[in-house]
């Protein structure tokens, strides 16, 4: 049972902006960087955002991350059909001494 | 280019052990950490443990896997192994290995995943 929660789904039409929330606690999001991963069934997970708001090379600038207190957000602007995937936030938890992942949000492009 | 290639899918009976291999290439094996993460059907990913190859091969396991997971490495082949013993039905999942640059706290490259099915 994950200690970091996300809405189960989010949707938008092509070109729209979608925001995914990620709610944790003082011991994880509140005190550590947040990372975001894109999971597509049958493929290796993809790092989208690291250190809360940093994009690895090769990730489009349509993806952006932010954090406030014990919550974080991933925004996808200019939504595209290939953005249909599951998105998970993640952070290190100082109390559990473990990395924790969010419950995941399925993004649907209508 | 950096690659982590995992072994193939397996079906195991309850109580058995399973070993998954993660063969790495394209970078200096001993300069990074390799983590293990699994995702059961309908659930979020779950972190299992890490071998810190650049830190004396120090191993840290999530509490729920201590005593049941063994992580080893073969430096000559740049391969990390993860053995899960006494498997049960709720161990059915896709298992991933992933690379971390030391103390970056994020996983920049992942293996393709290994599906493990536990069924009698």
């Amino acid at each position: 049972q994950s200690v970091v929660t996300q809405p189960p789904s989010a949707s938008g039409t092509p070109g729209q902006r979608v925001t995914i929330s990620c709610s944790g606690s003082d011991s994880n999001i509140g005190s550590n960087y947040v990372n975001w991963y894109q999971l597509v069934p049958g493929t290796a997970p993809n790092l989208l955002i690291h250190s809360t708001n940093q994009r690895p090379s090769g990730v489009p600038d349509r993806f952006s991350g932010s954090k406030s207190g014990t919550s974080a957000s991933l925004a996808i602007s200019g939504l595209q059909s290939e953005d249909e995937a599951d998105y998970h936030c993640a952070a290190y938890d100082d109390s559990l001494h473990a990395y924790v992942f969010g419950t995941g949000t399925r993004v649907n492009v209508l | 280019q950096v690659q982590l290639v995992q072994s193939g899918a397996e079906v195991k009976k309850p109580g058995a052990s399973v070993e998954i291999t993660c063969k790495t290439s394209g970078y200096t094996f001993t300069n990074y950490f390799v983590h293990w993460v699994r995702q059961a059907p309908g659930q979020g990913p779950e972190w299992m443990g890490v071998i810190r190859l650049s830190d004396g091969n120090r191993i840290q396991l999530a509490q729920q896997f201590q005593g049941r997971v063994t992580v080893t490495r073969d430096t000559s082949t740049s391969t990390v192994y993860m053995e899960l013993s006494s498997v049960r039905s709720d161990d059915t999942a896709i298992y991933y290995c992933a690379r971390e640059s030391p103390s970056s706290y994020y996983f920049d490259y992942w293996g393709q995943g290994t599906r493990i099915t536990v069924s009698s």
Side-chain angles (χ1 to χ4, degrees):
Chain A
Q1 203 159 355
S2 180
V3 297
V4 178
T5 57
Q6 300 177 232
S9 65
S11 59
T13 56
Q16 277 191 329
R17 176 184 172 94
V18 168
T19 301
I20 301 167
S21 62
C22 169
S23 178
S25 64
D26 288 338
S27 61
N28 44 66
I29 294 176
S31 50
N32 292 303
Y33 287 130
V34 179
N35 309 308
W36 289 89
Y37 300 94
Q38 179 191 57
L39 274 70
V40 177
T43 67
N46 184 36
L47 174 67
L48 283 181
I49 297 288
H50 69 84
S51 309
T52 301
N53 56 16
Q54 301 298 303
R55 271 188 318 278
S57 60
V59 173
D61 60 5
R62 305 185 292 105
F63 294 92
S64 62
S66 63
K67 184 179 90 167
S68 178
T70 59
S71 294
S73 294
L74 172 74
I76 309 173
S77 60
L79 194 64
Q80 299 182 5
S81 58
E82 61 257 36
D83 297 334
E84 276 207 337
D86 294 328
Y87 294 83
H88 293 268
C89 57
Y92 189 76
D93 191 295
D94 293 332
S95 295
L96 298 174
H97 302 290
Y99 294 80
V100 292
F101 287 83
T103 49
T105 299
R106 171 68 58 90
V107 168
N108 298 299
V109 181
L110 305 173
Chain B
Q1 72 279 25
V2 175
Q3 286 190 306
L4 288 77
V5 179
Q6 299 181 222
S7 49
E10 299 201 49
V11 179
K12 293 291 184 182
K13 293 191 182 304
S17 294
V18 62
E19 182 178 79
I20 303 170
T21 65
C22 175
K23 183 168 176 56
T24 73
S25 60
Y27 69 96
T28 303
F29 180 67
T30 52
N31 285 358
Y32 290 82
F33 303 166
V34 173
H35 294 255
W36 290 93
V37 175
R38 74 178 186 181
Q39 186 172 25
Q43 298 185 26
E46 179 182 30
W47 179 76
M48 300 179 68
V50 58
I51 180 167
R52 296 185 169 91
L53 297 155
S54 63
D55 186 17
N57 298 309
R58 190 164 59 93
I59 294 168
Q60 178 188 353
L61 298 176
Q63 184 175 15
Q64 63 268 36
F65 295 107
Q66 291 174 10
R68 221 162 54 97
V69 166
T70 303
V71 179
T72 56
R73 91 281 182 257
D74 182 342
T75 304
S76 68
T77 60
S78 301
T79 301
V80 177
Y81 303 87
M82 190 279 293
E83 182 182 37
L84 178 64
S85 62
S86 304
V87 298
R88 43 189 191 246
S89 59
D90 62 358
D91 290 320
T92 294
I94 299 175
Y95 289 74
Y96 297 97
C97 59
R99 188 187 84 160
E100 178 195 355
S101 183
S103 302
S104 67
Y105 292 93
Y106 62 86
F107 312 145
D108 57 356
Y109 288 92
W110 294 64
Q112 83 278 17
T114 297
R115 184 179 298 274
I116 301 297
T117 303
V118 181
S119 174
S120 55

